[in-house]
Every structure is written in structure tokens, then in C-alpha cells.
Amino acid sequence: MNLQQLTYLVALDTHRQFGLAADKSCVSQPALSVQVQKLEEELGVLLFDRGPRGAEPTAVGVKVIAQARQVLREAQLLRELVQAEKGEVVGDLRLGVIPTVAPYLVPRFLVGLTAAYPQLRVRVEELRSEEIMQQLKEHRLDVGLLVTPLDDRQLRELPLLEEPFLLLASATHPLAAQATVQPADLQQPGLWLMQQGHCFRNQVLNVCGPASSSGAVTYESGSIETLMELVRRHHGYTLVPELAVLDEVGHNPLLKRFAEPAPVREVSLVVHHGFVRTPLLTALLDLILASVPSRLHAGEAGAKVRWR
């Protein structure tokens, strides 16, 4: 038994198909199959049921795989401890980012991160908040970039930004004539929202108040960009995070700030409490903060809006 066999075992459990598991492991399918079979022969048990739809772990396989994940995690932790002691920013970074943050923040720091640390292999994946939290706990992600607070004792939050909500109104909507807006103004018809399941939708409804969740909603979209385009081309209004319209702030009269204290969303780096790669975390935090205006840094803005 060796770590490579355990790695293939976990990959097969994750993807449930030999071909896909081999592809993700950068190895041929026969090589992966042989190593899994050798492990089964050594242990004297069948770890996977093979079928036309793929591979499913057996009852004993589930227990072995869970232990294999723990062994691999401990082995990785040894490497990370040594890297941290040396102050190195190397190896793999698996970063999960929520879709309402990714397009506005990741392009600002990603190239700088890989340029500054060429020995760092970065994999970024867009996931919803609950998925990121779960994968951090399972050590399938190293770092999450999402909206907080999470109120989860297994996870550590490092606040980065307090990003104000702005209102974008169509030229024909009554809110377009106002200099600033109040949460009470969001009771007016024409509010366009994200689909259910997005934390940004929950935050908008928390700003609006309970009455706005019925009657005021005329359309639901899967992206902030779609909502903004619908407002620009049709009617109504929507709320957007400031990074989504950073180039328009101060120039677009249809963008409205809230009266103080303005509602903001807190964006944080999130890791498992067992995360030890402090140099990597510090480097990531510094690069992100340097990529955005200082007025958006945590501690500089207004009233945090919860999403849970």
C-alpha cells in the first residue's frame, strides 16, 4: 500500500468513473485500474462495484476511502507545515469563489498571484457558498472567497472587503430621480433579483425587508450582469455590489448610493481551522487588497448585511 494508490482510490470515489478519475489524476485508465485492483488484492476486499454506469464504493469501500482521505490529508499537512516554516508559497492552491464575486475580483489579482509565485499551481472554481463550505471541511478546497459571516466553528474567516450595495435604476423608473435611496424605497415595484440559492439574493431581500419578497419581484436571473442589462434595456431596478460597476461609479447618474449607514456585503477569505499555510494566505490577502480601492477594505464601510 502506498500514497499513490490511496490517491487513485480517492479520485475514483470522487468521480465514480475510471476514465474520468484517470484523466483528473493525469494517468492512463489502465494504470489507475491496476493500482486500485492491487490495493483491493492486498486488503483482500472489493472496494468498488464495477458496472456500466461507473464505479460505486462497497460498504467496506466507503470506510476505507474515508480513512484514505484522512491519511492523504495528514501527509499533505506534513508538506504544508514544512513549507510554512520555510515561508514558501509553492504547491497547489485550490480556490473556491462564489459566482457573484468571481468575475469582479478574481481577474484583479489572479495574474499577479501567479506572476509573483511561479511555483504555485492555482485552480479556481466557481461554486455556491454551501458547496465551498462543505469542500473546505472535506479538504477538497484550500481557500474560499465568499460572503461572510458564516457562523461555522470549523471555518476561519479573514475579512477582506466591505463592499457597498448600489442601486441601478432604469431611466424611466421613479428611483432614477432620487439622489440617494433608502431600504424603504425598495418596496416599489420593479425589483429584479437573483435566482434562489444565491447568497446575494438573500442579502438583497434582507436589505429590502420581508414585504419585498412578494409582489415586488418581477424577474429572477442567474447573474448580476443579466440583471443590469435588463435594467438598462427595459425597466425596473436592481441592487449590485460596487465592484460590479466600479468603472461607472461617479459617472453613471442611474447608479444610486444608499444613505448612511450604507448596506455592505463582507467578503472574506475562508479556510479550515487546520489550515497551516500562513505565507500563502498572507500573500493572497495582500494581493487582493492591493487590487481594489482602499475604501472597500474591511472596516472602512457601513452596515453588514447577512445572507444566512
Side-chain angles (χ1 to χ4, degrees), residues 190-239:
L191 173 61
W192 300 17
L193 287 171
M194 298 284 290
Q195 292 172 337
Q196 291 189 8
H198 291 275
C199 60
F200 190 77
R201 171 196 173 94
N202 297 343
Q203 288 185 301
V204 170
L205 291 177
N206 285 340
V207 173
C208 299
S212 63
S213 61
S214 61
V217 180
T218 58
Y219 188 93
E220 295 185 4
S221 172
S223 77
I224 292 173
E225 294 297 324
T226 301
L227 294 179
M228 292 193 294
E229 193 63 19
L230 286 167
V231 169
R232 291 172 180 136
R233 292 181 176 272
H234 297 282
H235 186 68
Y237 64 98
T238 192
L239 297 192

mmCIF file of all heavy atoms in Angstrom, residues 190-239:
data_model
loop_
_atom_site.group_PDB
_atom_site.id
_atom_site.type_symbol
_atom_site.label_atom_id
_atom_site.label_comp_id
_atom_site.label_asym_id
_atom_site.label_seq_id
_atom_site.Cartn_x
_atom_site.Cartn_y
_atom_site.Cartn_z
ATOM 1 N N GLY A 190 -40.815 46.524 -9.442
ATOM 2 C CA GLY A 190 -39.775 46.532 -10.460
ATOM 3 C C GLY A 190 -38.438 45.997 -10.014
ATOM 4 O O GLY A 190 -37.464 46.064 -10.770
ATOM 5 N N LEU A 191 -38.357 45.449 -8.792
ATOM 6 C CA LEU A 191 -37.090 44.914 -8.296
ATOM 7 C C LEU A 191 -36.788 43.578 -8.960
ATOM 8 O O LEU A 191 -37.592 42.650 -8.938
ATOM 9 C CB LEU A 191 -37.159 44.731 -6.777
ATOM 10 C CG LEU A 191 -35.972 44.033 -6.121
ATOM 11 C CD1 LEU A 191 -34.684 44.808 -6.331
ATOM 12 C CD2 LEU A 191 -36.230 43.820 -4.632
ATOM 13 N N TRP A 192 -35.606 43.454 -9.538
ATOM 14 C CA TRP A 192 -35.185 42.233 -10.217
ATOM 15 C C TRP A 192 -34.120 41.550 -9.385
ATOM 16 O O TRP A 192 -33.156 42.181 -8.951
ATOM 17 C CB TRP A 192 -34.639 42.546 -11.604
ATOM 18 C CG TRP A 192 -35.646 43.220 -12.502
ATOM 19 C CD1 TRP A 192 -36.807 43.835 -12.146
ATOM 20 C CD2 TRP A 192 -35.546 43.345 -13.913
ATOM 21 N NE1 TRP A 192 -37.441 44.336 -13.234
ATOM 22 C CE2 TRP A 192 -36.689 44.053 -14.348
ATOM 23 C CE3 TRP A 192 -34.616 42.953 -14.861
ATOM 24 C CZ2 TRP A 192 -36.927 44.364 -15.672
ATOM 25 C CZ3 TRP A 192 -34.847 43.255 -16.197
ATOM 26 C CH2 TRP A 192 -35.987 43.941 -16.593
ATOM 27 N N LEU A 193 -34.284 40.247 -9.177
ATOM 28 C CA LEU A 193 -33.471 39.500 -8.216
ATOM 29 C C LEU A 193 -32.705 38.356 -8.848
ATOM 30 O O LEU A 193 -33.053 37.866 -9.923
ATOM 31 C CB LEU A 193 -34.363 38.911 -7.120
ATOM 32 C CG LEU A 193 -34.935 39.880 -6.077
ATOM 33 C CD1 LEU A 193 -35.965 39.146 -5.227
ATOM 34 C CD2 LEU A 193 -33.834 40.452 -5.222
ATOM 35 N N MET A 194 -31.680 37.913 -8.128
ATOM 36 C CA MET A 194 -31.008 36.665 -8.452
ATOM 37 C C MET A 194 -31.956 35.505 -8.176
ATOM 38 O O MET A 194 -32.916 35.628 -7.411
ATOM 39 C CB MET A 194 -29.750 36.488 -7.601
ATOM 40 C CG MET A 194 -28.682 37.543 -7.793
ATOM 41 S SD MET A 194 -27.756 37.322 -9.315
ATOM 42 C CE MET A 194 -26.818 35.846 -8.946
ATOM 43 N N GLN A 195 -31.655 34.349 -8.768
ATOM 44 C CA GLN A 195 -32.429 33.142 -8.501
ATOM 45 C C GLN A 195 -32.194 32.653 -7.076
ATOM 46 O O GLN A 195 -31.198 32.996 -6.446
ATOM 47 C CB GLN A 195 -32.039 32.037 -9.485
ATOM 48 C CG GLN A 195 -32.433 32.311 -10.915
ATOM 49 C CD GLN A 195 -31.849 31.287 -11.873
ATOM 50 O OE1 GLN A 195 -30.854 30.645 -11.562
ATOM 51 N NE2 GLN A 195 -32.458 31.143 -13.036
ATOM 52 N N GLN A 196 -33.113 31.840 -6.596
ATOM 53 C CA GLN A 196 -32.940 31.237 -5.282
ATOM 54 C C GLN A 196 -31.690 30.372 -5.257
ATOM 55 O O GLN A 196 -31.320 29.750 -6.247
ATOM 56 C CB GLN A 196 -34.169 30.396 -4.921
ATOM 57 C CG GLN A 196 -35.413 31.231 -4.667
ATOM 58 C CD GLN A 196 -36.541 30.410 -4.094
ATOM 59 O OE1 GLN A 196 -36.364 29.247 -3.737
ATOM 60 N NE2 GLN A 196 -37.709 31.000 -3.988
ATOM 61 N N GLY A 197 -31.039 30.351 -4.104
ATOM 62 C CA GLY A 197 -29.814 29.578 -3.952
ATOM 63 C C GLY A 197 -28.570 30.433 -3.949
ATOM 64 O O GLY A 197 -27.500 29.981 -3.549
ATOM 65 N N HIS A 198 -28.693 31.704 -4.389
ATOM 66 C CA HIS A 198 -27.563 32.621 -4.376
ATOM 67 C C HIS A 198 -27.611 33.463 -3.098
ATOM 68 O O HIS A 198 -28.648 34.032 -2.762
ATOM 69 C CB HIS A 198 -27.598 33.556 -5.588
ATOM 70 C CG HIS A 198 -27.325 32.862 -6.888
ATOM 71 N ND1 HIS A 198 -26.046 32.644 -7.363
ATOM 72 C CD2 HIS A 198 -28.165 32.324 -7.810
ATOM 73 C CE1 HIS A 198 -26.113 32.016 -8.521
ATOM 74 N NE2 HIS A 198 -27.387 31.805 -8.820
ATOM 75 N N CYS A 199 -26.480 33.564 -2.410
ATOM 76 C CA CYS A 199 -26.460 34.347 -1.179
ATOM 77 C C CYS A 199 -26.738 35.824 -1.450
ATOM 78 O O CYS A 199 -27.283 36.526 -0.594
ATOM 79 C CB CYS A 199 -25.133 34.172 -0.445
ATOM 80 S SG CYS A 199 -23.670 34.674 -1.375
ATOM 81 N N PHE A 200 -26.401 36.294 -2.662
ATOM 82 C CA PHE A 200 -26.657 37.696 -2.990
ATOM 83 C C PHE A 200 -28.153 37.988 -2.987
ATOM 84 O O PHE A 200 -28.574 39.072 -2.575
ATOM 85 C CB PHE A 200 -26.045 38.030 -4.353
ATOM 86 C CG PHE A 200 -26.049 39.506 -4.672
ATOM 87 C CD1 PHE A 200 -25.130 40.351 -4.080
ATOM 88 C CD2 PHE A 200 -26.968 40.039 -5.547
ATOM 89 C CE1 PHE A 200 -25.126 41.707 -4.354
ATOM 90 C CE2 PHE A 200 -26.988 41.394 -5.835
ATOM 91 C CZ PHE A 200 -26.057 42.231 -5.238
ATOM 92 N N ARG A 201 -28.952 37.043 -3.445
ATOM 93 C CA ARG A 201 -30.410 37.220 -3.408
ATOM 94 C C ARG A 201 -30.879 37.394 -1.972
ATOM 95 O O ARG A 201 -31.675 38.298 -1.665
ATOM 96 C CB ARG A 201 -31.093 36.000 -4.038
ATOM 97 C CG ARG A 201 -32.622 35.993 -3.858
ATOM 98 C CD ARG A 201 -33.205 34.621 -4.149
ATOM 99 N NE ARG A 201 -34.616 34.575 -3.812
ATOM 100 C CZ ARG A 201 -35.606 34.790 -4.669
ATOM 101 N NH1 ARG A 201 -35.326 35.073 -5.928
ATOM 102 N NH2 ARG A 201 -36.868 34.723 -4.283
ATOM 103 N N ASN A 202 -30.385 36.532 -1.072
ATOM 104 C CA ASN A 202 -30.788 36.613 0.328
ATOM 105 C C ASN A 202 -30.409 37.952 0.935
ATOM 106 O O ASN A 202 -31.163 38.534 1.723
ATOM 107 C CB ASN A 202 -30.141 35.477 1.129
ATOM 108 C CG ASN A 202 -30.597 34.112 0.671
ATOM 109 O OD1 ASN A 202 -31.604 33.986 -0.022
ATOM 110 N ND2 ASN A 202 -29.847 33.087 1.025
ATOM 111 N N GLN A 203 -29.222 38.452 0.571
ATOM 112 C CA GLN A 203 -28.798 39.741 1.099
ATOM 113 C C GLN A 203 -29.690 40.867 0.603
ATOM 114 O O GLN A 203 -30.061 41.762 1.375
ATOM 115 C CB GLN A 203 -27.345 40.017 0.704
ATOM 116 C CG GLN A 203 -26.346 39.164 1.462
ATOM 117 C CD GLN A 203 -24.926 39.563 1.127
ATOM 118 O OE1 GLN A 203 -24.524 39.505 -0.023
ATOM 119 N NE2 GLN A 203 -24.177 39.976 2.125
ATOM 120 N N VAL A 204 -30.046 40.842 -0.674
ATOM 121 C CA VAL A 204 -30.914 41.878 -1.222
ATOM 122 C C VAL A 204 -32.258 41.877 -0.501
ATOM 123 O O VAL A 204 -32.787 42.936 -0.127
ATOM 124 C CB VAL A 204 -31.107 41.689 -2.735
ATOM 125 C CG1 VAL A 204 -32.212 42.618 -3.267
ATOM 126 C CG2 VAL A 204 -29.801 41.967 -3.467
ATOM 127 N N LEU A 205 -32.811 40.703 -0.276
ATOM 128 C CA LEU A 205 -34.085 40.616 0.425
ATOM 129 C C LEU A 205 -33.955 41.077 1.874
ATOM 130 O O LEU A 205 -34.890 41.644 2.442
ATOM 131 C CB LEU A 205 -34.622 39.186 0.361
ATOM 132 C CG LEU A 205 -35.085 38.726 -1.023
ATOM 133 C CD1 LEU A 205 -35.531 37.274 -0.995
ATOM 134 C CD2 LEU A 205 -36.211 39.615 -1.551
ATOM 135 N N ASN A 206 -32.791 40.855 2.473
ATOM 136 C CA ASN A 206 -32.574 41.340 3.837
ATOM 137 C C ASN A 206 -32.486 42.856 3.877
ATOM 138 O O ASN A 206 -32.873 43.488 4.865
ATOM 139 C CB ASN A 206 -31.300 40.730 4.424
ATOM 140 C CG ASN A 206 -31.482 39.271 4.816
ATOM 141 O OD1 ASN A 206 -32.604 38.811 5.005
ATOM 142 N ND2 ASN A 206 -30.385 38.543 4.924
ATOM 143 N N VAL A 207 -31.966 43.470 2.815
ATOM 144 C CA VAL A 207 -31.933 44.928 2.725
ATOM 145 C C VAL A 207 -33.344 45.474 2.523
ATOM 146 O O VAL A 207 -33.760 46.442 3.152
ATOM 147 C CB VAL A 207 -31.026 45.401 1.562
ATOM 148 C CG1 VAL A 207 -31.151 46.913 1.369
ATOM 149 C CG2 VAL A 207 -29.581 45.024 1.835
ATOM 150 N N CYS A 208 -34.097 44.805 1.654
ATOM 151 C CA CYS A 208 -35.428 45.293 1.295
ATOM 152 C C CYS A 208 -36.435 45.151 2.427
ATOM 153 O O CYS A 208 -37.328 45.977 2.586
ATOM 154 C CB CYS A 208 -35.964 44.518 0.094
ATOM 155 S SG CYS A 208 -34.965 44.675 -1.387
ATOM 156 N N GLY A 209 -36.323 44.076 3.183
ATOM 157 C CA GLY A 209 -37.329 43.773 4.185
ATOM 158 C C GLY A 209 -38.249 42.680 3.693
ATOM 159 O O GLY A 209 -38.324 42.398 2.494
ATOM 160 N N PRO A 210 -38.992 42.041 4.596
ATOM 161 C CA PRO A 210 -39.799 40.876 4.234
ATOM 162 C C PRO A 210 -40.882 41.147 3.204
ATOM 163 O O PRO A 210 -41.212 40.290 2.410
ATOM 164 C CB PRO A 210 -40.411 40.439 5.575
ATOM 165 C CG PRO A 210 -40.329 41.655 6.455
ATOM 166 C CD PRO A 210 -39.088 42.380 6.026
ATOM 167 N N ALA A 211 -41.428 42.351 3.181
ATOM 168 C CA ALA A 211 -42.541 42.610 2.262
ATOM 169 C C ALA A 211 -42.103 42.557 0.807
ATOM 170 O O ALA A 211 -42.902 42.306 -0.079
ATOM 171 C CB ALA A 211 -43.167 43.965 2.562
ATOM 172 N N SER A 212 -40.817 42.800 0.554
ATOM 173 C CA SER A 212 -40.362 42.866 -0.831
ATOM 174 C C SER A 212 -40.247 41.502 -1.491
ATOM 175 O O SER A 212 -40.075 41.410 -2.685
ATOM 176 C CB SER A 212 -38.996 43.550 -0.888
ATOM 177 O OG SER A 212 -38.042 42.781 -0.185
ATOM 178 N N SER A 213 -40.328 40.424 -0.717
ATOM 179 C CA SER A 213 -40.161 39.097 -1.298
ATOM 180 C C SER A 213 -41.389 38.635 -2.060
ATOM 181 O O SER A 213 -41.378 37.595 -2.677
ATOM 182 C CB SER A 213 -39.828 38.082 -0.188
ATOM 183 O OG SER A 213 -40.880 38.032 0.753
ATOM 184 N N SER A 214 -42.453 39.403 -2.006
ATOM 185 C CA SER A 214 -43.636 39.077 -2.797
ATOM 186 C C SER A 214 -44.148 40.346 -3.447
ATOM 187 O O SER A 214 -44.103 41.422 -2.859
ATOM 188 C CB SER A 214 -44.730 38.462 -1.906
ATOM 189 O OG SER A 214 -45.125 39.388 -0.917
ATOM 190 N N GLY A 215 -44.637 40.247 -4.639
ATOM 191 C CA GLY A 215 -45.183 41.402 -5.333
ATOM 192 C C GLY A 215 -44.133 42.237 -6.031
ATOM 193 O O GLY A 215 -44.280 42.589 -7.190
ATOM 194 N N ALA A 216 -43.029 42.590 -5.353
ATOM 195 C CA ALA A 216 -42.008 43.450 -5.938
ATOM 196 C C ALA A 216 -41.129 42.699 -6.926
ATOM 197 O O ALA A 216 -40.466 43.315 -7.744
ATOM 198 C CB ALA A 216 -41.143 44.054 -4.834
ATOM 199 N N VAL A 217 -41.079 41.389 -6.844
ATOM 200 C CA VAL A 217 -40.207 40.613 -7.711
ATOM 201 C C VAL A 217 -40.900 40.366 -9.045
ATOM 202 O O VAL A 217 -41.950 39.740 -9.106
ATOM 203 C CB VAL A 217 -39.835 39.266 -7.056
ATOM 204 C CG1 VAL A 217 -38.929 38.470 -7.992
ATOM 205 C CG2 VAL A 217 -39.147 39.500 -5.724
ATOM 206 N N THR A 218 -40.308 40.868 -10.125
ATOM 207 C CA THR A 218 -40.898 40.682 -11.443
ATOM 208 C C THR A 218 -40.073 39.759 -12.325
ATOM 209 O O THR A 218 -40.547 39.308 -13.349
ATOM 210 C CB THR A 218 -41.040 42.038 -12.155
ATOM 211 O OG1 THR A 218 -39.745 42.656 -12.261
ATOM 212 C CG2 THR A 218 -41.955 42.961 -11.366
ATOM 213 N N TYR A 219 -38.828 39.522 -11.934
ATOM 214 C CA TYR A 219 -37.954 38.693 -12.758
ATOM 215 C C TYR A 219 -36.833 38.161 -11.886
ATOM 216 O O TYR A 219 -36.365 38.852 -10.991
ATOM 217 C CB TYR A 219 -37.373 39.520 -13.909
ATOM 218 C CG TYR A 219 -36.609 38.722 -14.938
ATOM 219 C CD1 TYR A 219 -37.234 38.234 -16.069
ATOM 220 C CD2 TYR A 219 -35.257 38.460 -14.766
ATOM 221 C CE1 TYR A 219 -36.543 37.504 -17.018
ATOM 222 C CE2 TYR A 219 -34.548 37.732 -15.712
ATOM 223 C CZ TYR A 219 -35.195 37.255 -16.837
ATOM 224 O OH TYR A 219 -34.507 36.533 -17.774
ATOM 225 N N GLU A 220 -36.378 36.935 -12.161
ATOM 226 C CA GLU A 220 -35.259 36.360 -11.429
ATOM 227 C C GLU A 220 -34.222 35.873 -12.429
ATOM 228 O O GLU A 220 -34.561 35.238 -13.422
ATOM 229 C CB GLU A 220 -35.714 35.208 -10.533
ATOM 230 C CG GLU A 220 -36.650 35.659 -9.429
ATOM 231 C CD GLU A 220 -36.997 34.537 -8.462
ATOM 232 O OE1 GLU A 220 -36.433 33.436 -8.631
ATOM 233 O OE2 GLU A 220 -37.815 34.760 -7.571
ATOM 234 N N SER A 221 -32.946 36.179 -12.161
ATOM 235 C CA SER A 221 -31.872 35.845 -13.090
ATOM 236 C C SER A 221 -30.768 35.089 -12.364
ATOM 237 O O SER A 221 -30.669 35.116 -11.146
ATOM 238 C CB SER A 221 -31.308 37.132 -13.703
ATOM 239 O OG SER A 221 -30.144 36.850 -14.459
ATOM 240 N N GLY A 222 -29.904 34.444 -13.148
ATOM 241 C CA GLY A 222 -28.798 33.691 -12.577
ATOM 242 C C GLY A 222 -27.508 34.473 -12.486
ATOM 243 O O GLY A 222 -26.513 33.954 -11.997
ATOM 244 N N SER A 223 -27.487 35.734 -12.969
ATOM 245 C CA SER A 223 -26.247 36.501 -12.907
ATOM 246 C C SER A 223 -26.544 37.977 -12.703
ATOM 247 O O SER A 223 -27.582 38.502 -13.137
ATOM 248 C CB SER A 223 -25.438 36.314 -14.191
ATOM 249 O OG SER A 223 -25.976 37.082 -15.249
ATOM 250 N N ILE A 224 -25.606 38.654 -12.056
ATOM 251 C CA ILE A 224 -25.728 40.092 -11.841
ATOM 252 C C ILE A 224 -25.671 40.833 -13.174
ATOM 253 O O ILE A 224 -26.377 41.822 -13.381
ATOM 254 C CB ILE A 224 -24.631 40.580 -10.883
ATOM 255 C CG1 ILE A 224 -24.872 40.008 -9.482
ATOM 256 C CG2 ILE A 224 -24.584 42.102 -10.825
ATOM 257 C CD1 ILE A 224 -23.764 40.291 -8.493
ATOM 258 N N GLU A 225 -24.822 40.360 -14.091
ATOM 259 C CA GLU A 225 -24.697 41.010 -15.390
ATOM 260 C C GLU A 225 -26.031 41.017 -16.144
ATOM 261 O O GLU A 225 -26.392 42.004 -16.775
ATOM 262 C CB GLU A 225 -23.628 40.304 -16.236
ATOM 263 C CG GLU A 225 -22.219 40.429 -15.677
ATOM 264 C CD GLU A 225 -21.741 41.865 -15.626
ATOM 265 O OE1 GLU A 225 -22.084 42.647 -16.538
ATOM 266 O OE2 GLU A 225 -21.040 42.208 -14.660
ATOM 267 N N THR A 226 -26.766 39.904 -16.063
ATOM 268 C CA THR A 226 -28.069 39.838 -16.726
ATOM 269 C C THR A 226 -29.034 40.832 -16.110
ATOM 270 O O THR A 226 -29.780 41.527 -16.822
ATOM 271 C CB THR A 226 -28.646 38.418 -16.635
ATOM 272 O OG1 THR A 226 -27.742 37.502 -17.250
ATOM 273 C CG2 THR A 226 -29.994 38.331 -17.331
ATOM 274 N N LEU A 227 -29.043 40.914 -14.791
ATOM 275 C CA LEU A 227 -29.934 41.856 -14.116
ATOM 276 C C LEU A 227 -29.640 43.292 -14.555
ATOM 277 O O LEU A 227 -30.558 44.070 -14.829
ATOM 278 C CB LEU A 227 -29.770 41.737 -12.595
ATOM 279 C CG LEU A 227 -30.209 40.424 -11.957
ATOM 280 C CD1 LEU A 227 -29.958 40.468 -10.451
ATOM 281 C CD2 LEU A 227 -31.675 40.126 -12.240
ATOM 282 N N MET A 228 -28.359 43.645 -14.620
ATOM 283 C CA MET A 228 -28.004 45.007 -15.007
ATOM 284 C C MET A 228 -28.424 45.301 -16.441
ATOM 285 O O MET A 228 -28.907 46.389 -16.746
ATOM 286 C CB MET A 228 -26.503 45.225 -14.828
ATOM 287 C CG MET A 228 -26.054 45.226 -13.366
ATOM 288 S SD MET A 228 -24.362 45.854 -13.120
ATOM 289 C CE MET A 228 -23.410 44.584 -13.957
ATOM 290 N N GLU A 229 -28.248 44.320 -17.319
ATOM 291 C CA GLU A 229 -28.614 44.541 -18.722
ATOM 292 C C GLU A 229 -30.124 44.672 -18.880
ATOM 293 O O GLU A 229 -30.609 45.475 -19.703
ATOM 294 C CB GLU A 229 -28.079 43.394 -19.577
ATOM 295 C CG GLU A 229 -28.122 43.652 -21.070
ATOM 296 C CD GLU A 229 -27.244 44.818 -21.498
ATOM 297 O OE1 GLU A 229 -26.337 45.221 -20.739
ATOM 298 O OE2 GLU A 229 -27.482 45.336 -22.612
ATOM 299 N N LEU A 230 -30.873 43.912 -18.089
ATOM 300 C CA LEU A 230 -32.328 44.022 -18.137
ATOM 301 C C LEU A 230 -32.781 45.399 -17.682
ATOM 302 O O LEU A 230 -33.699 45.998 -18.259
ATOM 303 C CB LEU A 230 -32.952 42.937 -17.258
ATOM 304 C CG LEU A 230 -32.895 41.517 -17.831
ATOM 305 C CD1 LEU A 230 -33.244 40.492 -16.758
ATOM 306 C CD2 LEU A 230 -33.826 41.373 -19.016
ATOM 307 N N VAL A 231 -32.156 45.916 -16.638
ATOM 308 C CA VAL A 231 -32.494 47.265 -16.167
ATOM 309 C C VAL A 231 -32.173 48.299 -17.234
ATOM 310 O O VAL A 231 -32.972 49.200 -17.521
ATOM 311 C CB VAL A 231 -31.729 47.583 -14.858
ATOM 312 C CG1 VAL A 231 -31.851 49.071 -14.507
ATOM 313 C CG2 VAL A 231 -32.254 46.738 -13.711
ATOM 314 N N ARG A 232 -31.007 48.187 -17.846
ATOM 315 C CA ARG A 232 -30.585 49.179 -18.834
ATOM 316 C C ARG A 232 -31.479 49.186 -20.066
ATOM 317 O O ARG A 232 -31.747 50.234 -20.659
ATOM 318 C CB ARG A 232 -29.136 48.902 -19.253
ATOM 319 C CG ARG A 232 -28.118 49.178 -18.150
ATOM 320 C CD ARG A 232 -26.749 48.709 -18.562
ATOM 321 N NE ARG A 232 -25.745 48.953 -17.539
ATOM 322 C CZ ARG A 232 -24.810 48.083 -17.169
ATOM 323 N NH1 ARG A 232 -24.769 46.887 -17.754
ATOM 324 N NH2 ARG A 232 -23.931 48.389 -16.239
ATOM 325 N N ARG A 233 -31.944 48.014 -20.459
ATOM 326 C CA ARG A 233 -32.686 47.910 -21.712
ATOM 327 C C ARG A 233 -34.199 47.958 -21.534
ATOM 328 O O ARG A 233 -34.935 48.175 -22.504
ATOM 329 C CB ARG A 233 -32.313 46.622 -22.442
ATOM 330 C CG ARG A 233 -30.893 46.612 -22.970
ATOM 331 C CD ARG A 233 -30.584 45.327 -23.706
ATOM 332 N NE ARG A 233 -29.242 45.360 -24.290
ATOM 333 C CZ ARG A 233 -28.955 45.838 -25.488
ATOM 334 N NH1 ARG A 233 -29.935 46.322 -26.247
ATOM 335 N NH2 ARG A 233 -27.721 45.838 -25.951
ATOM 336 N N HIS A 234 -34.683 47.743 -20.333
ATOM 337 C CA HIS A 234 -36.127 47.655 -20.136
ATOM 338 C C HIS A 234 -36.597 48.601 -19.035
ATOM 339 O O HIS A 234 -36.669 49.800 -19.225
ATOM 340 C CB HIS A 234 -36.520 46.198 -19.854
ATOM 341 C CG HIS A 234 -36.214 45.281 -20.997
ATOM 342 N ND1 HIS A 234 -37.000 45.208 -22.124
ATOM 343 C CD2 HIS A 234 -35.194 44.413 -21.203
ATOM 344 C CE1 HIS A 234 -36.491 44.343 -22.984
ATOM 345 N NE2 HIS A 234 -35.382 43.841 -22.445
ATOM 346 N N HIS A 235 -36.901 48.070 -17.879
ATOM 347 C CA HIS A 235 -37.481 48.893 -16.819
ATOM 348 C C HIS A 235 -37.120 48.267 -15.483
ATOM 349 O O HIS A 235 -36.595 47.161 -15.408
ATOM 350 C CB HIS A 235 -39.007 48.955 -16.982
ATOM 351 C CG HIS A 235 -39.667 49.902 -16.021
ATOM 352 N ND1 HIS A 235 -39.493 51.268 -16.100
ATOM 353 C CD2 HIS A 235 -40.466 49.683 -14.938
ATOM 354 C CE1 HIS A 235 -40.185 51.846 -15.118
ATOM 355 N NE2 HIS A 235 -40.779 50.907 -14.404
ATOM 356 N N GLY A 236 -37.401 48.998 -14.423
ATOM 357 C CA GLY A 236 -37.193 48.463 -13.092
ATOM 358 C C GLY A 236 -35.857 48.873 -12.500
ATOM 359 O O GLY A 236 -35.216 49.834 -12.932
ATOM 360 N N TYR A 237 -35.425 48.116 -11.502
ATOM 361 C CA TYR A 237 -34.182 48.426 -10.807
ATOM 362 C C TYR A 237 -33.653 47.154 -10.157
ATOM 363 O O TYR A 237 -34.363 46.158 -10.002
ATOM 364 C CB TYR A 237 -34.402 49.518 -9.760
ATOM 365 C CG TYR A 237 -35.343 49.135 -8.632
ATOM 366 C CD1 TYR A 237 -34.852 48.690 -7.406
ATOM 367 C CD2 TYR A 237 -36.729 49.215 -8.788
ATOM 368 C CE1 TYR A 237 -35.715 48.348 -6.372
ATOM 369 C CE2 TYR A 237 -37.595 48.876 -7.772
ATOM 370 C CZ TYR A 237 -37.086 48.441 -6.558
ATOM 371 O OH TYR A 237 -37.933 48.085 -5.538
ATOM 372 N N THR A 238 -32.393 47.184 -9.778
ATOM 373 C CA THR A 238 -31.773 46.058 -9.105
ATOM 374 C C THR A 238 -30.665 46.573 -8.199
ATOM 375 O O THR A 238 -30.238 47.730 -8.311
ATOM 376 C CB THR A 238 -31.217 45.036 -10.116
ATOM 377 O OG1 THR A 238 -30.862 43.839 -9.437
ATOM 378 C CG2 THR A 238 -29.983 45.576 -10.840
ATOM 379 N N LEU A 239 -30.207 45.742 -7.291
ATOM 380 C CA LEU A 239 -29.060 46.077 -6.452
ATOM 381 C C LEU A 239 -27.834 45.361 -6.988
ATOM 382 O O LEU A 239 -27.912 44.211 -7.423
ATOM 383 C CB LEU A 239 -29.300 45.663 -4.991
ATOM 384 C CG LEU A 239 -30.441 46.346 -4.250
ATOM 385 C CD1 LEU A 239 -30.358 46.047 -2.754
ATOM 386 C CD2 LEU A 239 -30.467 47.842 -4.488
#
